């Protein structure tokens, strides 16, 4: 009997490949965006009924292989990676609906930001990532994390048994990942150094599997030992380092050469050829097609090796759907965080589950992305634990942002409006969040100091309470001087200082409400004639009082200036009450010293959207309107200075344009943007301006409102803008028809941004 059993085992071992078909392993190399050629390989294999019994992969090969291993068909994978959603993921952005406008600070003219920790201020401040991985990590958890939990974390029990490799740069060794959290394993395998944030598994910091094993054929043989191996390779070993190429030197120091061969008697090697580069994710359709065509060329050779074994496509799909049906849907009922302090853990837990209630996928996504948008959170990484009741516990690796920040920037222009910008921030998260910021603009044209503090409360309905103090100064010149021209004496200087408190709260992810109460003082010095010298004294107006403002805003614009997509819907209602003191200067035609009280309501609407938003062309519509019950000040210039201006493009804010100031007006504009090259826009903005009440005068202090002509005023601006990663570079021509010099040109780098005005 014993000998009979041995004979049966021996016969089964010898004849099983013939009776049941040879086992087939698929090995997928790394290669970044080029690695998406593996999708085309999978599609060609499935279309020809080639079975796949095991998969091993590295880097992007691990990503594509894992999607197939959890039951995604090649067609589903292709549809997913070619979607707009995946392009957003690859860009490191979030979908508009997931951005949390409430967490955004007031925009400043920063071009560069650097952050420090209080306990390691002497350490490197270089960033460890180029792309934000928040959306990628979330999606991988939702797709791969739930699937691995359905098989108790054993990757060999997935729809297709799967393994991948990562790299431990401490031990300089490849790490094999066969169980645990699938999203975590694949994420580690594709963590290219400096590109996305690294993560830890079992307390080991892991990086891209391609560093030490970019084509894990050895893993396939050792773990599964299939009769046939099909390899898909889109990568090569690095070229020898060059003397004057530091990047080639770094790559050779980091990467261990890989053997990309498969023994001829063991299988087939497919080498898709494509010009898609490592990080060019907007061209992955080309890579997919290259993989598909390269596989079809070798499909007969593959079939020959299989001895007639093939898979029934209907049965394959039934098994695929059966596997997917066993994956529990997202329902988050508890959360664990790795934060070191109890207060920080409470803050994060309350941000995700504010009322300790179960969250389905849509509610969880809303809360998760809200937390990820918090300026106090630098990094989040999620994994899941399936609980006995078929709900999930969320595990969050989190890292608070560094407490100290420095922002530098400003505007560098061929006109004499150059302005520097410097800001210092401090932020901390405990049970609540505190954010302090001091910023300064400095230049001959504009200077400002702003200090503000915000205390953010994480409740079911989050809100913040803030306090601030601001000093502004504008110094307008008599001409549109360029950087190389002599600047003529100032004809208008405005100084203002104000402080107050505000309460902010979100409505929808993209909107927020602000209630603001402030006290203010403005001081204007001005000449009411062009004929003045440095020996003359200016007229003077001081206005001091208080204001209450309510502002409701939805903002999804893609840039803080020169936007080409998104929308802005803003409504501001402000009540102003104050006392005016005005006194004439040496050039005034009439001497006066006047004290007046004023109060009025100002309503402003600002709406911008892009009904046409294609890759190479964007059409924007912009509507700005103001309605004010403002009373007249003591003279023409004092009145016109206090009236809301119409400044549809940034350069208007650097000029004193009385013809575009009215208490009641509307402006209609169109933005024509041609984006022929990436990050380079050819832009033309055309605006019509209609004032319903226009300020006029018979002399300096005899002033009145009159009805304005119908759409008699317009403005045009045309620019070439390079939207670089560190701010816009632009060449601009503006046409302002009512100026003495209606055309002005400028070359500039940076942002034309100012702190908020005291009463506008």
């Amino acid at each position: 009997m014993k000998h009979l059993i041995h004979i049966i085992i021996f016969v089964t071992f010898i004849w099983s490949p013939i009776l049941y078909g040879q086992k087939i392993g698929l090995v997928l190399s790394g290669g970044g965006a080029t690695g998406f050629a593996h999708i085309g390989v999978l599609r060609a294999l499935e279309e020809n009924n080639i079975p796949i019994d095991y998969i091993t992969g590295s880097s992007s090969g691990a990503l594509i292989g894992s999607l197939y291993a959890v039951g995604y068909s090649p067609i589903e994978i292709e549809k997913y990676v070619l979607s707009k959603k995946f392009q957003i993921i690859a860009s490191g952005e979030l979908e508009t609906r997931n951005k949390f406008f409430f967490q955004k600070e007031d925009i400043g003219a920063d071009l560069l930001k650097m952050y420090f920790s209080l306990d390691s201020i002497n350490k490197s401040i270089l960033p460890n990532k180029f792309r934000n991985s928040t959306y990628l990590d979330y999606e991988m958890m939702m797709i791969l994390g739930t699937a691995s939990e359905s098989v108790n974390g054993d990757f060999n029990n997935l729809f297709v048994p799967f393994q991948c490799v990562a790299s431990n740069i401490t031990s300089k060794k490849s790490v094999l990942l066969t169980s645990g959290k699938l999203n975590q394993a694949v994420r580690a395998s594709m963590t290219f150094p400096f590109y996305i944030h690294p993560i830890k598994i079992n307390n080991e910091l892991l990086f891209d599997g391609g560093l030490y094993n970019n084509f894990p054929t050895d893993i396939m043989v050792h773990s599964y030992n299939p009769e046939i191996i099909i390899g898909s390779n889109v990568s090569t070993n690095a070229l020898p380092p060059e003397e004057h190429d530091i990047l080639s030197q770094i790559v050779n120091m980091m990467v261990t050469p890989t053997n990309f061969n498969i023994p001829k008697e063991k299988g087939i090697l497919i080498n898709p050829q494509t010009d898609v580069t490592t990080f060019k994710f907007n061209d992955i359709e080309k890579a997919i097609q290259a993989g598909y065509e390269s596989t079809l060329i070798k499909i007969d050779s593959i079939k020959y090796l299989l001895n007639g074994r093939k898979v029934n496509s209907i049965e394959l799909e039934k098994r695929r759907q059966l596997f997917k049906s066993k994956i529990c849907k997202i329902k988050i009922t508890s959360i664990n965080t790795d934060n070191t302090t109890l207060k920080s853990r409470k803050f994060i837990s309350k941000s995700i589950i504010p009322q300790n209630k179960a969250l389905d996928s849509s509610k969880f996504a809303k809360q998760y992305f809200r937390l990820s948008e918090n300026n106090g959170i630098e990094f989040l990484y999620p994994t899941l634990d399936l609980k006995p009741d078929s709900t999930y516990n969320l595990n969050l690796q989190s890292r608070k942002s560094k407490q100290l920040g420095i922002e530098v920037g400003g505007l560098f222009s061929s006109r004499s409006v150059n302005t520097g910008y410097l800001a210092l921030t401090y932020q901390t998260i405990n049970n609540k969040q505190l954010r302090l910021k001091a910023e300064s603009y400095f230049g001959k044209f504009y200077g400002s100091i702003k200090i503000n503090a915000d205390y953010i409360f994480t409740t079911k309905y989050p809100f913040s309470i803030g306090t601030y103090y601001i000093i502004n100064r504008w110094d307008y010149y008599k001409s549109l001087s360029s950087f190389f021209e002599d600047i003529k004496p100032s004809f208008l200087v405005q100084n203002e200082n104000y402080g107050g408190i505000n309460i902010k709260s979100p409505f929808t992810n993209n909107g927020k409400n602000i209630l603001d109460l402030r006290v203010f003082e403005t001081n204007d010095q001005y000449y009411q004639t062009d004929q003045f010298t440095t020996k003359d004294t200016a007229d003077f107006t001081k206005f001091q009082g208080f204001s209450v403002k309510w502002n409701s805003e939805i903002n999804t614009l893609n840039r803080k200036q020169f936007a080409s997509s998104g929308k802005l819907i803003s409504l501001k209602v402000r009540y102003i009450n104050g006392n005016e003191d005005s006194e004439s200067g040496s050039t005034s035609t009439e001497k006066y010293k006047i004290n007046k009280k004023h109060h009025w309501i100002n309503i402003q609407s600002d709406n911008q959207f892009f009904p046409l938003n294609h890759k190479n062309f964007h059409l924007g519509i912009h509507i700005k309107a103001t309605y004010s019950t403002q009373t007249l000040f003591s003279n023409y210039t004092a009145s016109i200075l206090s009236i809301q201006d119409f400044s549809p493009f940034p350069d208007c804010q650097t000029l004193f344009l009385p013809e575009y100031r009215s208490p009641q007006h509307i402006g209609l504009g169109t933005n024509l943007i041609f984006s022929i090259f990436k990050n380079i826009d050819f832009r033309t903005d055309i605006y019509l301006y209609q004032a319903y009440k226009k300020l006029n005068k018979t002399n300096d202090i005899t002033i009145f409102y009159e009805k304005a002509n119908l759409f008699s005023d317009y403005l045009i601006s045309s620019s070439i803008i390079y939207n670089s990663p560190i701010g816009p570079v632009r060449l601009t021509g503006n046409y302002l028809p009512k100026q003495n010099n209606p055309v002005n040109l400028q070359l500039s780098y940076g942002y034309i941004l100012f702190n908020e005005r005291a009463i506008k």
Side-chain angles (χ1 to χ4, degrees):
M1 185 67 180
K2 182 178 180 181
H3 294 293
L4 179 60
I5 292 173
H6 287 167
I7 291 170
I8 291 172
I9 293 173
F10 176 76
V11 170
T12 302
F13 177 78
I14 294 296
W15 288 93
S16 59
I18 298 173
L19 295 174
Y20 301 104
Q22 297 164 306
K23 293 297 183 181
I24 302 165
L26 179 65
V27 181
L28 305 176
S29 76
T34 319
F36 284 68
H38 302 321
I39 301 171
V41 173
L42 286 165
R43 178 155 63 91
L45 293 176
E46 270 214 5
E47 286 178 358
N48 286 274
N49 304 115
I50 307 298
I52 299 171
D53 300 300
Y54 315 107
I55 298 176
T56 61
S58 180
S59 194
S60 59
L63 174 63
I64 303 305
S66 66
L67 290 172
Y68 190 81
V70 300
Y72 271 57
S73 71
I75 297 298
E76 288 174 322
I77 300 173
E78 182 172 354
K79 183 178 179 181
Y80 178 68
V81 302
L82 293 179
S83 66
K84 183 178 179 181
K85 177 180 180 178
F86 187 81
Q87 288 301 314
I88 294 172
I89 293 171
S91 70
E93 296 292 331
L94 291 177
E95 288 183 293
T96 298
R97 61 189 174 89
N98 289 326
K99 294 181 179 180
F100 195 30
F101 185 48
F102 171 70
Q103 288 289 358
K104 300 298 182 185
E105 298 180 75
D106 294 337
I107 60 174
D110 54 280
L111 298 168
L112 179 65
K113 296 182 179 181
M114 297 171 287
Y115 297 97
F116 307 85
S117 292
L118 284 175
D119 57 355
S120 58
I121 200 165
N122 60 330
K123 290 186 179 180
S124 172
I125 58 174
L126 292 174
N128 64 350
K129 61 181 179 181
F130 179 71
R131 283 280 189 263
N132 189 320
S133 64
T134 298
Y135 202 179
L136 171 68
D137 296 337
Y138 172 83
E139 279 289 292
M140 291 178 68
M141 180 197 68
M142 297 294 285
I143 297 171
L144 304 180
T146 53
S148 63
E149 287 303 295
S150 71
V151 295
N152 296 315
D154 187 347
F155 302 167
N156 287 322
N157 288 329
L158 295 171
F159 174 67
V160 177
F162 171 83
Q163 295 180 5
C164 63
V165 292
S167 299
N168 186 324
I169 61 172
T170 303
S171 63
K172 304 292 188 296
K173 291 181 180 179
S174 181
V175 177
L176 177 61
L177 300 167
T178 65
S179 62
K181 311 297 182 184
L182 181 60
N183 60 310
Q184 198 175 37
V186 174
R187 171 65 159 76
S189 183
M190 55 187 290
T191 301
F192 195 85
F194 308 113
Y195 192 73
I196 55 177
H197 200 293
I199 62 171
K200 286 185 176 181
I201 298 180
N202 298 327
N203 212 33
E204 291 184 352
L205 193 65
L206 300 181
F207 286 87
D208 194 292
L211 295 181
Y212 304 141
N213 189 351
N214 207 21
F215 193 55
T217 307
D218 57 331
I219 301 301
M220 177 62 72
V221 172
H222 182 267
S223 297
Y224 301 117
N225 195 27
E227 287 75 26
I228 297 172
I229 296 176
I230 300 173
S232 177
N233 173 45
V234 295
S235 191
T236 60
N237 287 315
L239 295 173
E242 296 182 10
E243 181 182 0
H244 302 292
D245 186 349
I246 190 170
L247 183 59
S248 71
Q249 297 167 22
I250 293 173
V251 169
N252 275 270
M253 284 188 283
M254 290 173 52
V255 179
T256 298
T258 294
N259 181 1
F260 292 105
N261 296 316
I262 294 176
K264 291 183 179 179
E265 68 280 1
K266 195 72 175 178
I268 295 288
L269 180 61
I270 301 167
N271 289 294
Q273 300 299 313
T274 175
D275 60 357
V276 177
T277 54
T278 303
F279 301 112
K280 204 169 184 181
F281 290 96
N282 58 339
D283 271 351
I284 56 180
E285 190 170 7
K286 292 181 182 178
I288 294 171
Q289 188 61 26
Y292 181 75
E293 292 173 357
S294 297
T295 307
L296 290 181
I297 292 172
K298 297 194 174 183
I299 203 69
D300 289 337
S301 299
I302 295 171
K303 288 180 178 179
Y304 177 78
L305 283 175
L306 264 59
N307 266 339
R309 186 191 170 199
K310 60 182 180 179
V311 66
N312 184 289
S313 59
I314 296 176
E315 289 299 320
L316 178 67
E317 189 58 31
K318 284 182 180 179
R319 290 194 294 109
R320 185 174 275 142
Q321 295 306 319
L322 178 62
F323 177 84
K324 288 182 177 180
S325 69
K326 296 178 181 178
I327 300 174
C328 294
K329 293 183 178 179
I330 284 290
K331 191 174 185 181
I332 306 294
T333 53
S334 59
I335 178 173
N336 291 328
T337 69
D338 63 351
N339 249 265
T340 55
T341 66
L342 177 62
K343 289 183 177 180
S344 296
R345 291 198 297 271
K346 284 184 177 180
F347 179 89
I348 291 173
S349 297
K350 286 168 63 178
S351 298
I352 297 290
I353 311 179
Q355 291 186 308
N356 293 319
K357 290 184 178 180
L359 301 178
D360 60 18
S361 58
S362 61
K363 291 180 181 177
F364 169 61
K366 178 181 178 181
Q367 297 300 125
Y368 182 83
F369 288 122
R370 281 189 171 191
L371 178 61
S372 74
E373 287 277 270
N374 191 306
N375 288 320
I377 300 294
E378 180 185 13
F379 176 69
L380 289 176
Y381 188 78
T383 57
L384 296 170
D385 291 327
L386 184 62
K387 299 162 74 171
D389 61 358
S390 297
T391 65
Y392 290 99
N393 174 73
L394 175 69
N395 299 302
L396 270 184
Q397 290 183 29
S398 60
R399 183 174 295 106
K400 294 191 293 185
S401 297
K402 297 178 177 67
Q403 298 100 319
L404 299 177
I406 297 178
E407 303 173 14
V408 294
L411 175 70
F412 306 90
S413 173
S414 58
R415 287 181 53 222
S416 296
V417 291
N418 296 279
T419 307
Y421 176 81
L422 176 66
L424 303 175
T425 61
Y426 172 80
Q427 58 185 355
T428 183
I429 289 179
N430 288 308
N431 199 24
K432 305 291 187 295
Q433 182 178 0
L434 174 65
R435 186 187 300 154
L436 305 174
K437 187 170 186 177
E439 57 184 314
S440 173
Y441 290 84
F442 44 93
K444 185 170 178 60
F445 165 68
Y446 174 65
S448 178
I449 295 174
K450 177 181 179 181
I451 301 172
N452 69 284
D454 290 298
Y455 203 42
I456 302 168
F457 296 82
T458 303
T459 59
K460 180 182 179 182
Y461 303 104
F463 68 97
S464 71
I465 298 176
T467 183
Y468 58 87
Y469 179 71
I470 298 175
I471 299 174
N472 286 324
R473 175 184 172 86
W474 283 267
D475 192 342
Y476 294 90
Y477 309 115
K478 194 176 178 182
S479 69
L480 291 172
S481 57
S482 74
F483 182 79
F484 302 101
E485 294 175 333
D486 291 333
I487 299 173
K488 297 182 180 180
S490 303
F491 72 96
L492 167 60
V493 177
Q494 292 187 283
N495 290 279
E496 56 186 37
N497 65 87
Y498 60 93
I501 59 173
N502 56 47
I503 300 174
K504 302 177 184 178
S505 63
F507 71 97
T508 76
N509 268 13
N510 302 135
K512 64 182 174 182
N513 290 310
I514 303 174
L515 179 63
D516 180 279
L517 174 64
R518 69 179 55 162
V519 293
F520 63 84
E521 179 181 304
T522 67
N523 293 277
D524 297 336
Q525 300 178 55
Y526 48 88
Y527 294 97
Q528 300 197 71
T529 175
D530 289 338
Q531 306 303 315
F532 65 90
T533 69
T534 54
K535 296 180 180 180
D536 286 316
T537 59
D539 290 27
F540 177 81
T541 295
K542 180 171 73 172
F543 184 48
Q544 56 185 351
F546 72 91
S547 79
V548 180
K549 180 187 74 171
W550 173 72
N551 179 21
S552 185
E553 181 176 344
I554 295 174
N555 192 334
T556 64
L557 296 178
N558 64 331
R559 302 187 185 111
K560 55 185 174 183
Q561 278 192 330
F562 316 115
S564 60
S565 65
K567 67 180 177 181
L568 169 67
I569 302 173
S570 175
L571 179 64
K572 298 179 183 177
V573 180
R574 186 192 292 272
Y575 172 73
I576 298 144
N577 188 306
N579 188 71
E580 173 205 354
D581 288 295
S582 290
E583 186 172 350
S584 60
S586 62
T587 62
S588 181
T589 57
E590 298 184 37
K591 301 299 178 183
Y592 62 86
K593 188 174 183 180
I594 300 173
N595 177 276
K596 293 178 70 174
K597 290 187 177 295
H598 299 275
H599 65 90
W600 70 87
I601 293 175
N602 194 35
I603 302 173
Q604 293 174 255
S605 175
D606 191 355
N607 301 278
Q608 186 174 20
F609 55 96
F610 292 84
L612 292 178
N613 191 17
H614 299 292
K615 180 180 180 181
N616 299 120
F617 176 69
H618 311 268
L619 172 64
I621 303 296
H622 195 182
I623 304 170
K624 297 184 72 171
T626 294
Y627 177 85
S628 176
T629 61
Q630 181 174 343
T631 51
L632 294 172
F633 277 52
S634 298
N635 60 66
Y636 175 81
T637 305
S639 296
I640 206 74
L641 286 173
S642 63
I643 291 173
Q644 182 65 44
D645 62 320
F646 176 67
S647 300
F649 35 85
D651 298 318
C652 291
Q653 299 176 60
T654 66
L655 303 168
F656 177 55
L657 304 172
E659 60 270 27
Y660 298 109
R661 290 175 179 247
S662 168
Q664 297 172 16
H665 67 254
I666 187 171
L668 305 175
T670 182
N671 316 116
L672 305 172
I673 306 163
F674 296 89
S675 303
I676 301 174
F677 306 104
K678 185 178 180 181
N679 295 326
I680 298 179
D681 293 340
F682 295 83
R683 181 184 186 112
T684 297
D685 302 305
I686 305 171
Y687 285 86
L688 296 175
Y689 170 74
Q690 174 63 59
Y692 294 100
K693 291 175 69 175
K694 192 172 183 179
L695 188 64
N696 209 338
K697 63 179 180 177
T698 53
N699 55 51
D700 291 344
I701 60 174
T702 304
I703 54 179
F704 56 92
Y705 285 127
E706 65 178 1
K707 188 174 181 181
N709 295 327
L710 184 63
F711 285 111
S712 59
D713 298 315
Y714 62 94
L715 311 86
I716 301 174
S717 178
S718 191
S719 304
I720 302 174
I721 306 173
Y722 170 50
N723 297 288
S724 80
I726 52 173
V729 180
R730 66 188 179 106
L731 176 63
T732 298
N734 298 312
Y735 181 64
L736 308 171
K738 293 195 173 182
Q739 292 289 296
N740 291 332
N741 299 311
V743 178
N744 65 84
L745 301 173
Q746 67 176 314
L747 177 65
S748 66
Y749 166 59
Y751 298 101
I752 300 179
L753 290 170
F754 311 111
N755 283 323
E756 186 181 6
R757 302 298 297 257
I759 60 174
K760 295 182 182 178

